């Protein structure tokens, strides 16, 4: 019986992925029809991939958290804090390698705090990560005095991640691809990935099976924080700055991408590939709005509607499978 359900789940996931690919093709056709001179260019493709890279790394971590039955509203603020901390003059004095290590440690540390509050403090994920969102953004503003911090001379290696290209594609896109590949392997080919599905699907059953649910939950949020640290490095490379305004509403884009990709908000089901396809759909929509000169407010409204439709479709599909 379990084998039949697993096979049905895989087929459902494959069908959903095909639907997402079809949506991407449709959006590409819209771009070719509405702005053919600007859309179908190498420069625009690189722009789409570069924008997707930063949010995409965060989306990988968010996928793990939501499959594990949680939610993380603090990802954008943690990324901003990591970028500010890594670009202080004190940190920059030690060079680009230490800047990168600092960003990752700050991100992972903030994620670990989230995990401890949720797993051992028994706080609701929504409340714990909302508190971290406010605290991390406030600390970033305090550290930077609400000013943008420029990457100083001698640390151009960080900026080179955005300016150096291999086969015409910036290095930061390859870093994004590496994170996606690593995330896929961990989720689908390791014990950690199997435990993530188990904890998200039925925490009590996972506990009875011998899984330390609280420890695993803590590690999921630490992983999300790690991804925020990597994303901070990428945003510093793209903008040559660290700022408390970085990552504004990134949590919206990451959660939306994960939902559109087919991950259940209740946990227990989802894929990295689906999340990345959902991210590319959102990034392409943003790109089309910009190229067509449409209002940013309209873009947010469209994204909100897409999230609502995706959740409603999830509920309908779950009812159909239950019957």
């Amino acid at each position: 019986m379990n084998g039949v359900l697993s096979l049905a789940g895989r087929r459902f996931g494959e069908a959903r992925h095909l639907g997402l690919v079809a949506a991407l093709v449709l959006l590409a056709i819209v771009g070719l029809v509405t702005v053919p001179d600007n859309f179908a260019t190498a420069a625009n493709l690189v722009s789409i991939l570069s924008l997707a890279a930063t949010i995409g790394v965060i989306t990988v971590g968010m996928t793990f958290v939501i499959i594990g039955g949680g939610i993380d509203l603090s990802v954008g603020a943690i990324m901003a804090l990591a970028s500010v901390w890594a670009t202080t003059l004190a940190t920059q004095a030690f060079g680009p390698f230490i800047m990168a290590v600092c960003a990752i440690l700050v991100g992972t540390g903030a994620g670990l705090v989230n995990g401890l509050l949720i797993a051992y403090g028994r706080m609701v994920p929504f409340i714990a990560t909302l508190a971290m969102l406010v605290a991390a953004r406030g600390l970033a503003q305090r550290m930077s005095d609400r000013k943008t911090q420029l990457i100083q001379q001698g640390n151009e290696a960080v900026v080179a991640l955005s300016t150096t290209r291999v086969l015409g594609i910036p290095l930061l896109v390859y870093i994004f691809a590496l994170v996606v590949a690593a995330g896929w392997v961990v989720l689908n080919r390791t014990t950690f990935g199997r435990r993530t599905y188990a904890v998200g699907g039925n925490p009590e059953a996972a506990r009875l099976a011998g899984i330390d649910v609280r420890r695993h939950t803590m590690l999921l949020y630490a992983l999300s924080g790690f991804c925020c640290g990597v994303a901070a490095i990428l945003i510093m490379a793209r903008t040559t700055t660290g700022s408390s305004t970085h990552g504004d509403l990134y949590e919206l884009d990451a959660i939306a991408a994960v939902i559109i990709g087919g991950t259940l908000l209740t946990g227990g089901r989802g894929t990295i590939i689906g999340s990345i396809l959902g991210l590319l759909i959102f990034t392409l929509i943003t790109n089309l709005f910009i190229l067509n000169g449409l209002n940013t407010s309209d873009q947010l409204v469209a994204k909100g509607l897409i999230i609502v439709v995706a959740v409603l479709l999830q509920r309908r599909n779950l009812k159909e499978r239950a019957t």
Side-chain angles (χ1 to χ4, degrees):
M1 183 65 178
N2 289 337
V4 173
L5 290 175
S6 178
L7 179 60
R10 284 197 297 269
R11 288 180 176 175
F12 177 80
E14 291 170 1
R16 188 175 186 88
H17 290 170
L18 289 175
L20 293 172
V21 171
L24 279 173
V25 172
L26 181 61
L27 288 171
I29 292 173
V30 171
L32 291 171
V33 171
T34 56
V35 279
D37 294 334
N38 296 325
F39 183 79
T41 63
N44 188 52
L45 176 61
V46 169
S47 176
I48 292 171
L49 291 176
S50 297
L51 179 60
T54 306
I55 305 176
V57 171
I58 291 176
T59 300
V60 171
M62 186 69 76
T63 302
F64 275 89
V65 169
I66 294 181
I67 289 176
I71 194 78
D72 192 347
L73 302 179
S74 64
V75 289
I78 290 176
M79 187 191 77
L81 176 60
S83 76
V84 166
W85 209 316
T87 53
T88 60
L89 292 177
T91 306
Q92 291 197 58
F94 291 95
F97 176 75
I98 297 301
M99 289 173 64
V101 171
C102 175
I104 291 174
L105 288 178
V106 169
T108 305
L112 190 60
V113 171
N114 278 337
L116 287 170
L117 291 174
I118 293 165
Y120 294 96
R122 299 189 181 281
M123 289 184 68
V124 177
F126 181 89
I127 299 300
T129 57
L130 182 62
M132 178 59 74
L133 182 157
V134 177
R137 189 74 70 180
L139 181 57
Q141 291 174 353
R142 182 69 179 270
M143 291 183 66
S144 64
D145 197 23
R146 296 179 181 268
K147 297 177 182 177
T148 299
Q149 299 176 167
L150 297 175
I151 293 179
Q152 304 296 309
Q153 289 185 353
N155 295 318
E156 291 85 358
V158 175
V159 182
L161 295 176
S162 179
T163 57
T164 303
R165 300 192 176 191
V166 178
L167 301 177
I169 300 175
L171 286 178
L172 60 84
V173 176
Y174 290 100
I175 294 174
F176 165 49
L178 183 62
V179 171
V180 171
W184 185 90
V185 170
V186 171
L187 188 60
N188 294 281
R189 294 290 184 268
T190 68
T191 302
F192 185 87
R194 290 190 291 273
R195 287 178 176 175
T196 299
Y197 282 109
V199 169
N202 191 326
E204 183 59 23
R207 186 186 67 81
L208 293 175
I211 298 173
D212 189 337
V213 174
R214 290 194 295 179
R215 178 175 177 274
H216 192 85
T217 299
M218 179 189 68
L219 292 176
L220 287 175
Y221 284 93
L223 176 60
S224 179
F226 171 85
C227 290
C228 291
V230 175
I233 298 171
L234 300 187
I235 198 74
M236 289 190 297
R238 281 182 52 223
T239 64
T240 70
T241 66
S243 173
S244 60
T245 62
H246 283 333
D248 187 34
L249 293 182
Y250 272 25
E251 57 275 1
L252 167 67
D253 289 341
I255 293 171
V258 173
I259 295 171
I260 292 171
T263 299
L264 288 180
L265 273 173
T266 52
R269 195 186 77 193
T271 64
I272 293 291
I273 300 301
S275 296
I276 298 307
L277 289 174
L279 168 72
L280 291 176
I281 288 174
F282 255 54
T283 307
L284 203 51
I285 290 173
T286 300
N287 182 256
L288 289 174
F289 268 80
I290 293 172
L291 293 180
N292 284 283
L294 298 176
N295 196 295
T296 305
S297 301
D298 296 333
Q299 182 185 139
L300 294 175
V301 171
K303 288 182 176 181
L305 290 174
I306 292 171
I307 295 171
V308 171
V309 171
V311 172
L312 290 175
L313 287 175
Q314 271 193 7
R315 293 183 62 183
R316 191 190 70 176
N317 288 330
L318 283 174
K319 287 181 180 179
E320 289 177 353
R321 293 179 68 188
T323 56

